[in-house]
Amino acid sequence: MTTRYRVEYALKTHRRDQFIEWIKGLLAVPFVLYSQPHGVFEYPPSSPELGTSPPGSPNPILIKAREEAHRRYAEILHDVELMIDDHIAHQNDPDNPFPSKLKLLVPSIGPFFTRLPLEAAFKFQDRKRYISSRRFVSPSFNDVRLILNSAQLISVTSTTPGSTLQLATFDGDVTLYDDGQSLEPTSPVIPRLLDLLRKNIKIGIVTAAGYTSADRYYARLHGLLDSIATSVDLTPIQKRSVIIMGGEANYLFQFDPASEHLLSPVPRSEWLTAEMLLWDDRDITQLLDIAEAALADCIETLNLPAVLMRKDRAVGIIPSPPHIRIPRESLEETVLCVQKILELSSAGRSKKVPFCAFNGGNDVFVDIGDKSWGVTVCQRWFSDPETGRPIRGENTLHVGDQFLSAGANDFRARSVGTTAWIASPAETVELLDELGELMGKKMS
């Protein structure tokens, strides 16, 4: 993602995903034309004019409106699906100098790694959410978000050659467990992650939490790690198919049943990519020094109840005392201010070291690298042992919640693989259930 787009994405449309907003706008038209909200009042179940109908008798006005809305929603999403196909054809043709129709309509649109069967995904979500049955609430941002999630799952589990899901990466807070909490043994996410391992899907937990020792990650993930260690139906290879990428892309740990905390640190020399090897420690220090000064200014200017925290590959502010909640607006103002200062600094303009400034929910951090690099490391770590070829973007699914707020760090993963945008650990459970169902159909 370019520097210019990082800023524009944060400032436009209250930081909402422009592609989702665009689809939402398209669906608003048939809602206005066909929703028939007056139908609720025109045909009461027990009308003196029409005689008494049994309780719960169907309302023909609402039935017709629902069917028409469903048809139009499906047609629109089918048309968007075709535009995505055309966009993919354009992005795969380096000799074509012209932008796709979708690029002209949504200039911020990025690359797609797979087709998105939006029509089929809408029909699935409509059966769950009754989108077409609503008379007063139009298709929402969340409706479209979940439709896109379903479309992505359908695509990565389709029978199309090369579409097999090989790697699933996950954010930590708000994705696998509640913000600031841990993955406890009773979490419903755990058996679903174990099921992915049984299907020989690699798992990477790509988190902004930057710890240098295994015990800190064990404290956050002990429920999953203990379940893997005690599992009797996972093979040794499957158990070792779990890695933790911490600090966005700065600390790698692999599951190790012989380790005290079930994780072993992997030296950077074994996993840094060729591009990451070029990140000079002096440039990293300079960038973090600028970020630290900018954060200190924000603490003073906004009178934030926070203190600075400096790490070797990150710097941030945390609430002080810890139980204090910092207003969301202050956190986002801090992110945008620090990000802009870094981008205009000599360290930022040189683009020698990538960084990510993000709102962590009750803190703000600037990390070296971002989750696109973290996911890339996971793809390379699980390279094909015979060919040495990394797992490709179309065979990767990143699940996270940070796609909306300022500096959203999961957003960067879109550049290296497919993504699913969830809003809570409960949604992650639903997503994994849907994924498991689709994979079951494919295997059968």
Side-chain angles (χ1 to χ4, degrees), residues 330-348:
S330 296
L331 294 171
E332 304 234 327
E333 171 71 15
T334 301
V335 169
L336 293 173
C337 179
V338 173
Q339 181 172 283
K340 190 65 174 178
I341 289 173
L342 285 172
E343 289 170 346
L344 295 177
S345 69
S346 58

Side-chain angles (χ1 to χ4, degrees), residues 2-11 287 290-295 297-298 331-351 355-358 364-366 406-407 412:
T2 64
T3 299
R4 178 185 64 81
Y5 179 61
R6 280 201 301 267
V7 177
E8 289 181 351
Y9 173 76
L11 294 176
L287 190 143
I290 297 171
E292 183 174 351
L295 288 166
D297 286 343
C298 288
L331 294 171
E332 304 234 327
E333 171 71 15
T334 301
V335 169
L336 293 173
C337 179
V338 173
Q339 181 172 283
K340 190 65 174 178
I341 289 173
L342 285 172
E343 289 170 346
L344 295 177
S345 69
S346 58
R349 292 198 310 272
S350 68
K351 299 181 180 179
F355 67 90
C356 177
F358 66 96
V364 171
F365 269 88
V366 176
R412 309 291 178 83

Side-chain angles (χ1 to χ4, degrees), residues 268-287:
R268 283 185 178 140
S269 59
E270 296 184 20
W271 56 266
L272 287 177
T273 67
E275 299 86 351
M276 296 169 82
L277 286 170
L278 299 177
W279 300 352
D280 190 273
D281 287 342
R282 291 169 296 180
D283 295 324
I284 291 174
T285 299
Q286 181 187 14
L287 190 143

Side-chain angles (χ1 to χ4, degrees), residues 125-170:
Q125 286 294 338
D126 200 27
R127 290 193 295 269
K128 292 179 60 177
R129 299 174 67 81
Y130 299 94
I131 301 168
S132 302
S133 299
R134 300 202 300 248
R135 306 278 69 81
F136 296 95
V137 178
S138 63
S140 68
F141 188 92
N142 278 333
D143 290 328
V144 179
R145 174 177 63 83
L146 294 173
I147 289 169
L148 288 169
N149 283 354
S150 292
Q152 193 61 81
L153 294 186
I154 293 171
S155 189
V156 298
T157 58
S158 71
T159 56
T160 304
S163 65
T164 303
L165 179 63
Q166 299 176 15
L167 169 65
T169 60
F170 297 87

